[in-house]
Amino acid sequence: MGGETVFNAIWLLTILPELLLLILALIVLGVDLALPAERKRSLGVWTAAGLVIVLLVSLLAPVPEEAAFGGLVRADPLGRVFRAMFLLGGVLVALMSMDFRPLRQDGPYYGMLLFSLLGMCLMAVAENLVMLYVAMELTSISAYVLVGYLREDTFSAEAGLKYMLFGAFTSAVMLYGLSLLFGLTGGTGYMEVAAALREAPFSLAMVGFLMVLVGFGFKVAMVPMHFWTPDVYQGAPTPVTAFISVASKAAGFAVMLRAFRFIFPSLGGEWVALMVAISAVTMTLGNIFAVWQKNIKRMLAYSSVAQAGYILIGVAAASRLGIAAAAFYLIIYTVTNIAAFATVVLVSNLTGSEDIESFAGLSRRSKFLAWGLMLALFSLGGVPPFAGFIGKLILFAGAVQSGLIALVVIGVLNVIVSLYYYLNVAKVVFERRSEEEEEPVPIPVPSRWVLGFTMAAIVILGVLAAPVFNWVWRASGAWF
Amino acid sequence: MVPLQWYLVLSAALFCVGLYAVLARRNAISILMGIELMLNAVNINLLAFWRYTQPEAAVGQAFAAFVYAVAAAEVAVGLALIVSIYRNRETVDVDEINLLKW
């Protein structure tokens, strides 16, 4: 940050989606005050419609390529891909929240959702340590509130407390690492830091790197920073769980990929070896623990740890293909996991339970829901021809290209293990009978849209992946 | 003038005290206080580095100011969550807050 920096109005274009998100959040909070209580459910539509507009603007509006605000943010193509991913997740979660009974009439809830999204969008484009920290904290603090939102519900309050303590702790460690990087290099812009790190002593640079990794690891739920995942996923209101599992994780990967690419290239092979090990352990532990779970949200929590392990394969590959594959997989993972959680919302609304057993006979209660869950689980498990299969294939291809054959072997073994528990749920849904199976599950319109969209996306991304992958691939070009 | 190393040692010691509180204390408010100590250690680091390595640029000070502001927001949310759990459970002991486990 040069001292002579003067304000330039074109910079506002770089953060246009963020500005619009802020305005949208204020509008939603205002509308919340104006609407009578019985019509507040429409706040979800306001939020989702606004987010669709922000999404279109973020994709279509012209954006200056160079860094804005004296190097605080740079909206490069890959950053914009990530931003679009979060916004898409936000649209789906807002619609999904309309059918989650305890939340659907709550204006501040949608406001916090938008503030958290605002933080994520800034995370995707941050190119300065201070900006990175502030954006991550904006995301996290809003997410703490969202997780603990149901004050009367002991599970939600407990999940919120655990999430907050763990998050604040890891962010303090990360911040200490950032302060060391600042001290080592005298700068906070990624490029300045990277340039000065080449001359810095290796051990000190590594200490800074490891401490920063703790903060990123919390966001993406990688081992050994994954302990919060099952408790928070189970206790949080289900739409919030979906939000944290997709958007928050994707935001963590967005900052991780950018930081590894631009701050730490001088650490060379050392961090690659570390990430390979973490990736292997993360997917293995996630899958093993998922096998034993009785609660579907806990199962999906461990499954999301395992998925983070797969995405870390792309991070460890550290090539253009690896980075593009990770980003592409995150798009697939966003639609897939939201489909899974949307069915959980509807079923648990009716049965009042989140146990896997309560899904018994679902195929007779609602074909649509049963197939929605099925597609999501097949995609997570990497069954061809669904999206998750092609996503994993490209991730593995990236790893092979970078010579990480052992990691690919571990990955494939893990995919096979994961099929066991994904198909176990499928068995409960399609084969197990239950006494209430005659009673149909009502599917409100917003959930129908969410499920329809995500199911279509799972199939289309699986069969016709090329256009979307090419889009991500072109975007990743700016980094190499 | 006091050498830079002394500040860094103080900061590292403070960070470790905070870390110990986070790991060893069972009271949620004590854990939060430990996190605050860690953040203060960061601020000492930032200001010492700023003063000794580049006093002409304001970035170190700006960073520390952001840390203050964010830490205050974090504590506000943290205490609110602790109050909400206390109303439900009449305890702030993290060992007793254990409904969620496998």
Side-chain angles (χ1 to χ4, degrees):
Chain A
M1 275 197 284
E4 71 289 346
T5 315
V6 280
F7 180 75
N8 185 343
I10 197 115
W11 291 345
L12 291 176
L13 266 183
T14 307
I15 58 160
L16 187 59
E18 285 83 358
L19 291 175
L20 291 177
L21 271 176
L22 182 63
I23 295 169
L24 177 61
L26 296 177
I27 291 176
V28 167
L29 291 174
V31 169
D32 173 51
L33 293 178
L35 278 183
E38 68 276 5
R39 287 180 48 208
K40 281 197 176 168
R41 186 160 175 264
S42 65
L43 282 169
V45 178
W46 282 83
T47 313
L51 281 173
V52 169
I53 295 171
V54 180
L55 176 60
L56 291 177
V57 169
S58 82
L59 287 175
L60 302 177
V63 181
E65 286 288 323
E66 62 273 16
F69 295 99
L72 283 181
V73 292
R74 181 195 299 271
D76 52 13
L78 202 56
R80 278 150 59 200
V81 167
F82 274 108
R83 206 148 65 173
M85 200 187 302
F86 312 146
L87 291 170
L88 174 66
V91 173
L92 296 171
V93 169
L95 288 175
M96 198 171 141
S97 308
M98 291 174 65
D99 298 327
F100 187 70
R101 211 167 287 132
L103 284 182
R104 60 189 181 192
Q105 295 177 329
D106 224 303
Y109 163 77
Y110 293 106
M112 292 315 285
L113 194 70
L114 291 170
F115 285 130
S116 193
L117 270 175
L118 170 59
M120 290 171 188
C121 289
L122 286 173
M123 278 166 81
V125 295
E127 209 186 34
N128 182 293
L129 301 183
V130 185
M131 190 67 232
L132 168 75
Y133 171 67
V134 174
M136 277 182 86
E137 287 300 307
L138 177 56
T139 309
S140 299
I141 294 177
S142 318
Y144 305 153
V145 177
L146 289 174
V147 169
Y149 201 86
L150 306 176
R151 288 192 306 270
E152 311 300 319
D153 179 279
T154 35
F155 286 97
S156 172
E158 177 176 333
L161 179 71
K162 285 181 173 169
Y163 192 42
M164 183 275 296
L165 288 178
F166 212 95
F169 170 61
T170 50
S171 91
V173 175
M174 179 185 86
L175 193 57
Y176 198 83
L178 294 183
S179 78
L180 289 181
L181 288 179
F182 166 67
L184 275 176
T185 63
T188 54
Y190 282 13
M191 306 302 170
E192 295 167 74
V193 173
L197 270 187
R198 287 200 190 91
E199 276 92 58
F202 177 77
S203 56
L204 276 175
M206 202 65 194
V207 169
F209 169 76
L210 288 175
M211 291 184 115
V212 172
L213 187 62
V214 170
F216 294 169
F218 164 75
K219 282 253 143 252
V220 306
M222 75 185 194
V223 175
M225 273 73 72
H226 71 289
F227 292 104
W228 59 275
T229 323
D231 289 357
V232 170
Y233 277 39
Q234 185 189 347
T238 310
V240 176
T241 311
F243 185 63
I244 289 177
S245 79
V246 297
S248 180
K249 189 184 291 268
F253 276 111
V255 288
M256 186 188 265
L257 288 170
R258 191 184 291 269
F260 285 9
R261 179 82 191 101
F262 291 112
I263 303 184
F264 299 110
S266 58
L267 293 182
E270 309 298 323
W271 70 257
V272 169
L274 181 71
M275 293 319 291
V276 167
I278 291 181
S279 163
V281 175
T282 302
M283 57 189 156
T284 311
L285 275 185
N287 279 324
I288 290 175
F289 281 107
V291 169
W292 314 110
Q293 300 307 321
K294 304 262 180 288
N295 178 303
I296 188 143
K297 278 162 82 182
R298 273 187 106 76
M299 187 208 87
L300 286 170
Y302 281 111
S303 131
S304 96
V305 173
Q307 301 287 334
Y310 301 143
I311 300 164
L312 283 170
I313 296 179
V315 178
S319 59
R320 182 174 171 191
L321 183 57
I323 289 176
F328 180 59
Y329 194 84
L330 279 163
I331 297 176
I332 292 171
Y333 174 73
T334 300
V335 290
T336 305
N337 238 23
I338 284 188
F341 279 111
T343 58
V344 174
V345 167
L346 294 178
V347 173
S348 66
N349 262 349
L350 191 70
T351 61
S353 158
E354 286 155 1
D355 288 341
I356 293 175
E357 289 303 313
S358 70
F359 284 72
L362 183 63
S363 66
R364 293 179 186 80
R365 300 176 113 176
S366 164
K367 281 243 148 38
F368 184 60
L369 269 192
W371 279 103
L373 184 59
M374 197 71 321
L375 283 184
L377 294 173
F378 279 170
S379 175
L380 284 173
V383 176
F386 303 114
F389 168 73
I390 197 86
K392 290 185 179 71
L393 203 64
I394 300 175
L395 275 173
F396 291 157
V400 169
Q401 195 196 46
S402 300
L404 306 171
I405 308 294
L407 191 58
V408 173
V409 173
I410 297 173
V412 172
L413 290 177
N414 264 290
V415 170
I416 296 168
V417 172
S418 75
L419 278 176
Y420 168 75
Y421 61 85
Y422 290 133
L423 293 181
N424 202 18
V425 176
K427 198 182 83 187
V428 173
V429 167
F430 280 91
E431 291 210 332
R432 198 77 59 77
R433 310 293 296 252
S434 88
E435 289 170 6
E436 301 105 38
E437 68 185 29
E438 299 309 319
E439 188 190 344
V441 185
I443 306 176
V445 177
S447 289
R448 193 162 300 177
W449 285 12
V450 171
L451 277 169
F453 176 83
T454 49
M455 284 162 76
I458 290 170
V459 174
I460 292 171
L461 281 175
V463 182
L464 292 169
V468 179
F469 182 73
N470 285 340
W471 175 58
V472 177
W473 174 254
R474 276 197 307 275
S476 67
W479 282 17
F480 288 87
Chain B
M1 204 152 90
V2 184
L4 174 61
Q5 289 88 328
W6 290 26
Y7 286 103
L8 300 187
V9 169
L10 170 68
S11 151
L14 199 58
F15 187 80
C16 292
V17 172
L19 190 63
Y20 176 77
V22 171
L23 298 177
R25 290 304 193 110
R26 306 277 44 113
N27 183 311
I29 293 179
S30 305
I31 296 178
L32 213 52
M33 287 164 69
I35 293 169
E36 288 302 302
L37 284 184
M38 293 164 75
L39 292 175
N40 281 334
V42 171
N43 273 341
I44 293 178
N45 249 357
L46 287 174
L47 291 179
F49 280 133
W50 161 71
R51 182 73 185 77
Y52 283 81
T53 63
Q54 37 193 276
E56 72 287 350
V59 56
Q61 274 179 318
F63 203 158
F66 273 112
V67 174
Y68 274 119
V70 171
E74 203 161 51
V75 167
V77 169
L79 286 177
L81 285 165
I82 292 175
V83 167
S84 104
I85 206 156
Y86 183 78
R87 286 197 181 136
N88 277 321
R89 308 279 294 277
E90 307 238 313
T91 178
V92 291
D93 187 323
V94 289
D95 284 339
E96 291 171 32
I97 301 171
N98 57 3
L99 284 176
L100 296 164
K101 61 184 175 195
W102 51 292

mmCIF file of all heavy atoms in Angstrom, chain A residues 136 140 144 162-168 170-171 212-222 225-226 228-229 232 248 256:
data_model
loop_
_atom_site.group_PDB
_atom_site.id
_atom_site.type_symbol
_atom_site.label_atom_id
_atom_site.label_comp_id
_atom_site.label_asym_id
_atom_site.label_seq_id
_atom_site.Cartn_x
_atom_site.Cartn_y
_atom_site.Cartn_z
ATOM 1 N N MET A 136 -12.398 -12.695 6.437
ATOM 2 C CA MET A 136 -12.634 -13.986 7.088
ATOM 3 C C MET A 136 -13.429 -13.813 8.372
ATOM 4 O O MET A 136 -14.298 -14.614 8.700
ATOM 5 C CB MET A 136 -11.304 -14.678 7.391
ATOM 6 C CG MET A 136 -10.766 -15.431 6.198
ATOM 7 S SD MET A 136 -9.243 -16.293 6.567
ATOM 8 C CE MET A 136 -9.875 -17.823 7.228
ATOM 9 N N SER A 140 -16.966 -15.317 9.455
ATOM 10 C CA SER A 140 -17.064 -16.206 10.610
ATOM 11 C C SER A 140 -18.034 -15.667 11.655
ATOM 12 O O SER A 140 -18.871 -16.410 12.162
ATOM 13 C CB SER A 140 -15.703 -16.380 11.267
ATOM 14 O OG SER A 140 -14.812 -16.954 10.378
ATOM 15 N N TYR A 144 -21.196 -17.498 13.197
ATOM 16 C CA TYR A 144 -21.425 -17.889 14.599
ATOM 17 C C TYR A 144 -22.859 -17.569 14.988
ATOM 18 O O TYR A 144 -23.544 -18.364 15.635
ATOM 19 C CB TYR A 144 -20.509 -17.142 15.576
ATOM 20 C CG TYR A 144 -19.025 -17.221 15.315
ATOM 21 C CD1 TYR A 144 -18.183 -16.201 15.732
ATOM 22 C CD2 TYR A 144 -18.466 -18.312 14.668
ATOM 23 C CE1 TYR A 144 -16.823 -16.250 15.502
ATOM 24 C CE2 TYR A 144 -17.106 -18.367 14.431
ATOM 25 C CZ TYR A 144 -16.291 -17.335 14.849
ATOM 26 O OH TYR A 144 -14.952 -17.378 14.620
ATOM 27 N N LYS A 162 -19.696 -23.734 20.478
ATOM 28 C CA LYS A 162 -18.521 -24.509 20.064
ATOM 29 C C LYS A 162 -17.897 -23.924 18.803
ATOM 30 O O LYS A 162 -16.671 -23.824 18.685
ATOM 31 C CB LYS A 162 -18.923 -25.969 19.805
ATOM 32 C CG LYS A 162 -19.164 -26.726 21.094
ATOM 33 C CD LYS A 162 -19.525 -28.163 20.831
ATOM 34 C CE LYS A 162 -19.584 -28.939 22.128
ATOM 35 N NZ LYS A 162 -20.172 -30.270 21.963
ATOM 36 N N TYR A 163 -18.749 -23.541 17.868
ATOM 37 C CA TYR A 163 -18.250 -22.980 16.612
ATOM 38 C C TYR A 163 -17.483 -21.693 16.889
ATOM 39 O O TYR A 163 -16.396 -21.467 16.359
ATOM 40 C CB TYR A 163 -19.440 -22.711 15.696
ATOM 41 C CG TYR A 163 -19.096 -22.398 14.263
ATOM 42 C CD1 TYR A 163 -18.120 -23.107 13.582
ATOM 43 C CD2 TYR A 163 -19.771 -21.398 13.568
ATOM 44 C CE1 TYR A 163 -17.826 -22.832 12.263
ATOM 45 C CE2 TYR A 163 -19.480 -21.119 12.250
ATOM 46 C CZ TYR A 163 -18.507 -21.834 11.601
ATOM 47 O OH TYR A 163 -18.216 -21.554 10.305
ATOM 48 N N MET A 164 -18.060 -20.857 17.783
ATOM 49 C CA MET A 164 -17.432 -19.571 18.075
ATOM 50 C C MET A 164 -16.091 -19.774 18.772
ATOM 51 O O MET A 164 -15.090 -19.163 18.386
ATOM 52 C CB MET A 164 -18.380 -18.744 18.930
ATOM 53 C CG MET A 164 -17.908 -17.354 19.246
ATOM 54 S SD MET A 164 -16.840 -17.289 20.674
ATOM 55 C CE MET A 164 -17.952 -17.824 21.956
ATOM 56 N N LEU A 165 -16.045 -20.641 19.796
ATOM 57 C CA LEU A 165 -14.783 -20.822 20.523
ATOM 58 C C LEU A 165 -13.703 -21.383 19.599
ATOM 59 O O LEU A 165 -12.575 -20.897 19.564
ATOM 60 C CB LEU A 165 -14.987 -21.756 21.723
ATOM 61 C CG LEU A 165 -15.772 -21.160 22.891
ATOM 62 C CD1 LEU A 165 -15.941 -22.189 23.992
ATOM 63 C CD2 LEU A 165 -15.088 -19.924 23.438
ATOM 64 N N PHE A 166 -14.076 -22.386 18.828
ATOM 65 C CA PHE A 166 -13.094 -22.994 17.931
ATOM 66 C C PHE A 166 -12.660 -22.001 16.860
ATOM 67 O O PHE A 166 -11.472 -21.877 16.537
ATOM 68 C CB PHE A 166 -13.702 -24.245 17.282
ATOM 69 C CG PHE A 166 -12.691 -25.313 16.996
ATOM 70 C CD1 PHE A 166 -12.487 -26.325 17.905
ATOM 71 C CD2 PHE A 166 -11.944 -25.279 15.847
ATOM 72 C CE1 PHE A 166 -11.546 -27.302 17.651
ATOM 73 C CE2 PHE A 166 -10.992 -26.257 15.598
ATOM 74 C CZ PHE A 166 -10.795 -27.269 16.497
ATOM 75 N N GLY A 167 -13.636 -21.267 16.320
ATOM 76 C CA GLY A 167 -13.327 -20.317 15.250
ATOM 77 C C GLY A 167 -12.468 -19.178 15.751
ATOM 78 O O GLY A 167 -11.488 -18.789 15.100
ATOM 79 N N ALA A 168 -12.793 -18.630 16.922
ATOM 80 C CA ALA A 168 -12.020 -17.501 17.443
ATOM 81 C C ALA A 168 -10.607 -17.952 17.773
ATOM 82 O O ALA A 168 -9.635 -17.235 17.520
ATOM 83 C CB ALA A 168 -12.708 -16.934 18.683
ATOM 84 N N THR A 170 -8.866 -20.531 16.358
ATOM 85 C CA THR A 170 -8.065 -20.743 15.146
ATOM 86 C C THR A 170 -7.756 -19.421 14.460
ATOM 87 O O THR A 170 -6.672 -19.251 13.900
ATOM 88 C CB THR A 170 -8.776 -21.685 14.155
ATOM 89 O OG1 THR A 170 -10.101 -21.225 13.979
ATOM 90 C CG2 THR A 170 -8.780 -23.095 14.641
ATOM 91 N N SER A 171 -8.701 -18.465 14.523
ATOM 92 C CA SER A 171 -8.404 -17.207 13.844
ATOM 93 C C SER A 171 -7.330 -16.433 14.610
ATOM 94 O O SER A 171 -6.541 -15.711 13.996
ATOM 95 C CB SER A 171 -9.672 -16.386 13.642
ATOM 96 O OG SER A 171 -9.889 -15.524 14.721
ATOM 97 N N VAL A 212 -0.944 -19.784 9.601
ATOM 98 C CA VAL A 212 -2.006 -19.345 8.697
ATOM 99 C C VAL A 212 -2.860 -20.536 8.262
ATOM 100 O O VAL A 212 -4.079 -20.453 8.149
ATOM 101 C CB VAL A 212 -1.390 -18.611 7.482
ATOM 102 C CG1 VAL A 212 -2.442 -18.316 6.439
ATOM 103 C CG2 VAL A 212 -0.730 -17.328 7.932
ATOM 104 N N LEU A 213 -2.186 -21.660 8.064
ATOM 105 C CA LEU A 213 -2.901 -22.875 7.636
ATOM 106 C C LEU A 213 -3.956 -23.292 8.664
ATOM 107 O O LEU A 213 -4.999 -23.840 8.303
ATOM 108 C CB LEU A 213 -1.893 -24.000 7.410
ATOM 109 C CG LEU A 213 -2.441 -25.281 6.803
ATOM 110 C CD1 LEU A 213 -3.010 -24.999 5.430
ATOM 111 C CD2 LEU A 213 -1.359 -26.334 6.716
ATOM 112 N N VAL A 214 -3.684 -23.036 9.951
ATOM 113 C CA VAL A 214 -4.662 -23.391 10.983
ATOM 114 C C VAL A 214 -5.988 -22.663 10.720
ATOM 115 O O VAL A 214 -7.064 -23.262 10.765
ATOM 116 C CB VAL A 214 -4.124 -23.035 12.390
ATOM 117 C CG1 VAL A 214 -5.215 -23.157 13.437
ATOM 118 C CG2 VAL A 214 -2.958 -23.931 12.743
ATOM 119 N N GLY A 215 -5.891 -21.362 10.409
ATOM 120 C CA GLY A 215 -7.106 -20.600 10.141
ATOM 121 C C GLY A 215 -7.838 -21.098 8.911
ATOM 122 O O GLY A 215 -9.059 -21.258 8.909
ATOM 123 N N PHE A 216 -7.088 -21.383 7.840
ATOM 124 C CA PHE A 216 -7.728 -21.895 6.617
ATOM 125 C C PHE A 216 -8.330 -23.268 6.884
ATOM 126 O O PHE A 216 -9.418 -23.591 6.407
ATOM 127 C CB PHE A 216 -6.698 -22.020 5.486
ATOM 128 C CG PHE A 216 -6.131 -20.713 5.011
ATOM 129 C CD1 PHE A 216 -5.037 -20.686 4.166
ATOM 130 C CD2 PHE A 216 -6.691 -19.505 5.398
ATOM 131 C CE1 PHE A 216 -4.514 -19.488 3.721
ATOM 132 C CE2 PHE A 216 -6.172 -18.299 4.956
ATOM 133 C CZ PHE A 216 -5.075 -18.296 4.120
ATOM 134 N N GLY A 217 -7.600 -24.083 7.637
ATOM 135 C CA GLY A 217 -8.050 -25.442 7.904
ATOM 136 C C GLY A 217 -9.374 -25.473 8.639
ATOM 137 O O GLY A 217 -10.221 -26.326 8.395
ATOM 138 N N PHE A 218 -9.560 -24.504 9.550
ATOM 139 C CA PHE A 218 -10.839 -24.421 10.251
ATOM 140 C C PHE A 218 -11.964 -24.184 9.260
ATOM 141 O O PHE A 218 -13.011 -24.825 9.311
ATOM 142 C CB PHE A 218 -10.779 -23.291 11.282
ATOM 143 C CG PHE A 218 -12.128 -22.865 11.785
ATOM 144 C CD1 PHE A 218 -12.815 -23.650 12.687
ATOM 145 C CD2 PHE A 218 -12.706 -21.689 11.344
ATOM 146 C CE1 PHE A 218 -14.058 -23.260 13.151
ATOM 147 C CE2 PHE A 218 -13.949 -21.301 11.803
ATOM 148 C CZ PHE A 218 -14.616 -22.093 12.713
ATOM 149 N N LYS A 219 -11.744 -23.262 8.334
ATOM 150 C CA LYS A 219 -12.815 -22.916 7.382
ATOM 151 C C LYS A 219 -13.174 -24.096 6.497
ATOM 152 O O LYS A 219 -14.339 -24.320 6.199
ATOM 153 C CB LYS A 219 -12.378 -21.734 6.507
ATOM 154 C CG LYS A 219 -12.493 -20.419 7.202
ATOM 155 C CD LYS A 219 -13.655 -19.633 6.652
ATOM 156 C CE LYS A 219 -14.381 -18.844 7.669
ATOM 157 N NZ LYS A 219 -15.656 -19.290 8.035
ATOM 158 N N VAL A 220 -12.163 -24.837 6.030
ATOM 159 C CA VAL A 220 -12.481 -25.922 5.096
ATOM 160 C C VAL A 220 -12.702 -27.247 5.824
ATOM 161 O O VAL A 220 -13.015 -28.235 5.181
ATOM 162 C CB VAL A 220 -11.375 -26.102 4.033
ATOM 163 C CG1 VAL A 220 -11.103 -24.797 3.332
ATOM 164 C CG2 VAL A 220 -10.113 -26.659 4.635
ATOM 165 N N ALA A 221 -12.572 -27.262 7.153
ATOM 166 C CA ALA A 221 -12.790 -28.483 7.944
ATOM 167 C C ALA A 221 -11.835 -29.587 7.546
ATOM 168 O O ALA A 221 -12.240 -30.691 7.212
ATOM 169 C CB ALA A 221 -14.231 -28.973 7.830
ATOM 170 N N MET A 222 -10.524 -29.279 7.554
ATOM 171 C CA MET A 222 -9.581 -30.354 7.273
ATOM 172 C C MET A 222 -8.973 -30.843 8.588
ATOM 173 O O MET A 222 -8.877 -30.091 9.554
ATOM 174 C CB MET A 222 -8.484 -29.865 6.312
ATOM 175 C CG MET A 222 -7.457 -28.966 6.948
ATOM 176 S SD MET A 222 -6.317 -28.334 5.725
ATOM 177 C CE MET A 222 -5.045 -27.703 6.807
ATOM 178 N N MET A 225 -8.173 -29.800 12.078
ATOM 179 C CA MET A 225 -9.022 -28.694 12.527
ATOM 180 C C MET A 225 -10.486 -28.996 12.238
ATOM 181 O O MET A 225 -11.260 -28.099 11.957
ATOM 182 C CB MET A 225 -8.610 -27.391 11.833
ATOM 183 C CG MET A 225 -7.514 -26.627 12.526
ATOM 184 S SD MET A 225 -5.910 -27.399 12.363
ATOM 185 C CE MET A 225 -5.539 -27.072 10.657
ATOM 186 N N HIS A 226 -10.856 -30.267 12.296
ATOM 187 C CA HIS A 226 -12.202 -30.663 11.884
ATOM 188 C C HIS A 226 -13.113 -30.959 13.066
ATOM 189 O O HIS A 226 -14.268 -31.284 12.867
ATOM 190 C CB HIS A 226 -12.110 -31.926 11.036
ATOM 191 C CG HIS A 226 -11.753 -33.125 11.854
ATOM 192 N ND1 HIS A 226 -10.486 -33.280 12.394
ATOM 193 C CD2 HIS A 226 -12.474 -34.180 12.264
ATOM 194 C CE1 HIS A 226 -10.463 -34.395 13.091
ATOM 195 N NE2 HIS A 226 -11.642 -34.957 13.039
ATOM 196 N N TRP A 228 -14.833 -29.435 15.210
ATOM 197 C CA TRP A 228 -16.101 -28.737 15.358
ATOM 198 C C TRP A 228 -17.151 -29.271 14.409
ATOM 199 O O TRP A 228 -18.345 -29.152 14.656
ATOM 200 C CB TRP A 228 -15.911 -27.240 15.104
ATOM 201 C CG TRP A 228 -15.362 -26.938 13.741
ATOM 202 C CD1 TRP A 228 -14.055 -26.922 13.371
ATOM 203 C CD2 TRP A 228 -16.107 -26.630 12.566
ATOM 204 N NE1 TRP A 228 -13.934 -26.618 12.043
ATOM 205 C CE2 TRP A 228 -15.174 -26.441 11.524
ATOM 206 C CE3 TRP A 228 -17.467 -26.486 12.295
ATOM 207 C CZ2 TRP A 228 -15.562 -26.121 10.232
ATOM 208 C CZ3 TRP A 228 -17.846 -26.166 11.002
ATOM 209 C CH2 TRP A 228 -16.901 -25.997 9.985
ATOM 210 N N THR A 229 -16.729 -29.862 13.288
ATOM 211 C CA THR A 229 -17.650 -30.136 12.190
ATOM 212 C C THR A 229 -18.890 -30.937 12.587
ATOM 213 O O THR A 229 -20.007 -30.460 12.389
ATOM 214 C CB THR A 229 -16.907 -30.849 11.045
ATOM 215 O OG1 THR A 229 -15.610 -30.314 10.959
ATOM 216 C CG2 THR A 229 -17.631 -30.693 9.751
ATOM 217 N N VAL A 232 -21.232 -28.977 15.142
ATOM 218 C CA VAL A 232 -21.857 -27.776 14.589
ATOM 219 C C VAL A 232 -22.852 -28.141 13.503
ATOM 220 O O VAL A 232 -23.961 -27.598 13.443
ATOM 221 C CB VAL A 232 -20.772 -26.814 14.060
ATOM 222 C CG1 VAL A 232 -21.388 -25.686 13.271
ATOM 223 C CG2 VAL A 232 -19.963 -26.271 15.218
ATOM 224 N N SER A 248 -19.141 -21.643 3.063
ATOM 225 C CA SER A 248 -18.030 -21.339 3.955
ATOM 226 C C SER A 248 -16.804 -22.179 3.591
ATOM 227 O O SER A 248 -15.677 -21.696 3.603
ATOM 228 C CB SER A 248 -18.482 -21.612 5.386
ATOM 229 O OG SER A 248 -17.470 -21.340 6.273
ATOM 230 N N MET A 256 -7.358 -20.212 0.455
ATOM 231 C CA MET A 256 -6.228 -21.131 0.552
ATOM 232 C C MET A 256 -5.499 -21.227 -0.786
ATOM 233 O O MET A 256 -4.275 -21.106 -0.865
ATOM 234 C CB MET A 256 -6.730 -22.509 0.979
ATOM 235 C CG MET A 256 -5.649 -23.526 1.245
ATOM 236 S SD MET A 256 -6.366 -25.143 1.513
ATOM 237 C CE MET A 256 -6.468 -25.207 3.261
#
